[in-house]
Amino acid sequence: MRVVLLGTAAGGGFPQWNCACALCAAARDGKLPSRTQECVALTGNGRDWWLLNASPDIRAQLTATAALWPGPGPRETPLRGVLLTDAEADHVTGLTVLHGAPDLKVYAAPPVLEILAPARGALDRYTPWEWADSLADGGFVLAGGLVVTAHPVSAKAPKYVPAALAGADGRWVTAYRVEDLATGGVLLYAPCVGAWSDVLDDLCAEADCVLLDGTFFTADEMGTAVRSGPGQATMGRLPVSGPHGSLTALARHPRTRRIYTHLNNTNPLVDPASRARAQVAEEGVEVLPDGIEFLL
């Protein structure tokens, strides 16, 4: 399995267009590397590629990745479809960029498919796509020899979802376990996590690599960094640090390759020289730049 980290930032990217925090200012000055919004591409055979989420930056990300360039025909593409973890804007907006591409298949949980119904109808007017339930019993097999199962990890609905719909189905956010039939390599992809669970712990234990939500380093990070707005606790994200943070949980899985993604612009992990970055590195957990490729 080939895995490419197309983007590693949370919504808005890094630097965020409307943020003048110290980290964003440093990125604009060229002192810190910029990051596009979180998205992953993977393949089991080098020919059939699948996206994990569809970033608003997807055009630039596809253009920067030679393996995903179109060809050999004028309208042929190696892209076969998208696996959505949720309905957040920074994970679904890229679908509009892909409109008109024939024969794409999009997997998502039932509440995500439901809330995207208007967008699905608009996209299908260009070229009909196949929309599939990612939580169907038994999982599913992707072209290229990859077996996938989806696992609910959070009930947090996007802010734009009406309250009546948000509470009707708690499966708003899922993680994906992807196994390569040829090598047996297992990737766990969980860029959005509200709380640690036994299910998530078991999935990490059997994975060769975990791509995990690293949105915030501390629980009060948002308010501290920009001096306004809600803190992490009101945004439904599990912080990296603290006795109940994800770094503590990941320490139970030292044999698994562990990588943080979906980094918010306020997160000190975006600074390679930060104490936060050193703390994570001491635990053997990685923070990688956009464009990195690895094999499983």
Side-chain angles (χ1 to χ4, degrees):
M1 185 183 345
R2 292 171 62 187
V3 182
V4 182
L5 305 186
L6 299 178
T8 54
F14 178 68
Q16 189 166 294
W17 73 274
N18 63 341
C19 185
C21 72
L23 290 171
C24 285
R28 290 191 184 94
D29 289 340
K31 298 175 182 177
L32 294 177
S34 296
R35 295 173 182 269
T36 60
Q37 293 169 90
E38 190 273 329
C39 187
V40 171
L42 52 78
T43 180
N45 60 7
R47 298 184 304 275
D48 301 295
W49 285 85
W50 297 84
L51 297 179
L52 302 177
N53 289 325
S55 157
D57 300 318
I58 193 61
R59 178 194 171 278
Q61 293 168 340
L62 294 176
T63 300
T65 309
L68 295 168
W69 290 354
R75 287 289 185 175
E76 292 181 353
T77 170
L79 188 61
R80 301 293 174 253
V82 183
L83 284 63
L84 299 175
T85 58
D86 52 73
E88 296 289 351
D90 58 313
H91 284 159
V92 303
T93 308
L95 293 175
T96 63
V97 179
L98 304 176
H99 74 270
D103 303 322
L104 291 191
K105 188 166 186 176
V106 181
Y107 291 90
V112 175
L113 292 174
E114 180 179 357
I115 202 64
L116 293 181
R120 290 166 52 193
L123 290 166
D124 283 346
R125 284 183 173 272
Y126 291 93
T127 299
W129 291 350
E130 184 176 354
W131 302 84
D133 179 1
S134 62
L135 292 172
D137 290 343
F140 50 95
V141 180
L142 302 177
L146 302 177
V147 178
V148 183
T149 54
H151 305 267
V153 292
S154 175
K156 180 182 178 295
K159 288 184 178 180
Y160 65 82
V161 176
L165 291 178
D169 189 325
R171 300 174 296 171
W172 280 101
V173 183
T174 56
Y176 286 107
R177 179 190 184 276
V178 186
E179 181 176 356
D180 187 330
L181 287 176
T183 66
V186 175
L187 172 72
L188 176 63
Y189 176 68
C192 302
V193 174
W196 201 261
S197 66
D198 291 341
V199 170
L200 198 56
D201 210 57
D202 290 342
L203 289 168
C204 285
E206 64 179 25
D208 295 290
C209 179
V210 176
L211 286 173
L212 187 67
D213 184 352
T215 307
F216 298 111
F217 190 75
T218 61
D220 61 350
E221 180 179 304
M222 280 288 288
T224 301
V226 301
R227 299 181 182 179
S228 65
Q232 180 275 334
T234 64
M235 298 180 72
R237 298 286 186 170
L238 177 68
V240 170
S241 64
H244 303 293
S246 62
L247 189 60
T248 298
L250 288 177
R252 296 193 290 270
H253 307 285
R255 297 182 180 180
T256 300
R257 185 176 187 183
R258 298 151 296 168
I259 303 168
Y260 278 123
T261 190
H262 201 271
L263 307 176
N264 199 58
N265 60 293
T266 58
N267 190 332
L269 290 180
V270 300
D271 182 356
S274 67
R275 291 181 63 185
R277 190 74 163 261
Q279 180 182 343
V280 166
E282 287 174 1
E283 297 294 335
V285 183
E286 299 173 83
V287 177
L288 300 176
D290 290 7
I292 289 291
E293 178 178 332
F294 55 88
L295 301 177
L296 289 174

